[in-house]
Amino acid sequence: MSSDKITFVVNGHSYAISASEPETLTAIAATDRKALITVLEAVKQQQKASEQRADQILMQTAVPISDNLATAIKPERLGRGDAEAVMARLILEEKAKQKNPPSERIFYKWIIGFAALVIMAILVF
């Protein structure tokens, strides 16, 4: 089984180790090995803590099975960023639904058309 080499620096000393080459593991100085183990243990604890938080959040957001679903669903409060994003989306949707106001060009076309009709009506009658 071949594994990739990992290169790291501990206390200013550079090491390249591989799980498939045990001699590289024994080349690490004792003080550097302790520092590395301490850091790796902290990473392991952090990983466990994040998994526990994720499981806890999942359990909190899971909807319990009940006869009345309306009572089982709890309204969630939106965070500040969520509320702002919803408001921005609603504003964009509202702007998309609005009609554009008539431009000056269209206004002048209507005036010229109306004037032409009046002139034609005067000439005919």
Side-chain angles (χ1 to χ4, degrees):
M1 178 168 106
S2 174
S3 63
D4 295 332
K5 283 196 171 204
I6 298 173
T7 305
F8 59 94
V9 177
V10 178
N11 297 330
H13 301 103
S14 178
Y15 299 100
I17 62 171
S18 175
S20 62
E21 299 174 11
E23 61 274 1
T24 59
L25 298 173
T26 58
I28 301 173
T31 56
D32 293 344
R33 189 177 307 131
K34 286 182 183 179
L36 180 62
I37 290 172
T38 303
V39 170
L40 291 176
E41 284 295 326
V43 169
K44 187 176 181 181
Q45 289 175 358
Q46 180 66 31
Q47 178 68 27
K48 282 184 183 179
S50 66
E51 288 173 358
Q52 288 176 349
R53 280 193 303 269
D55 290 342
Q56 190 177 33
I57 291 171
L58 182 64
M59 293 303 291
Q60 288 174 351
T61 58
V63 176
I65 298 173
S66 68
D67 294 333
N68 190 357
L69 290 177
T71 59
I73 299 173
K74 297 178 182 176
E76 296 181 16
R77 285 193 67 126
L78 294 176
R80 182 182 178 110
D82 296 338
E84 290 174 357
V86 169
M87 289 301 293
R89 192 179 80 227
L90 290 174
I91 289 170
L92 288 175
E93 288 176 1
E94 189 64 31
K95 284 185 179 179
K97 290 179 184 177
Q98 290 178 348
K99 292 182 179 179
N100 291 334
S103 66
E104 289 182 26
R105 188 174 186 177
I106 293 173
F107 179 70
Y108 291 131
K109 284 181 182 179
W110 277 99
I111 290 177
I112 291 171
F114 182 71
L117 282 174
V118 170
I119 293 172
M120 285 177 55
I122 292 173
L123 290 176
V124 170
F125 296 109

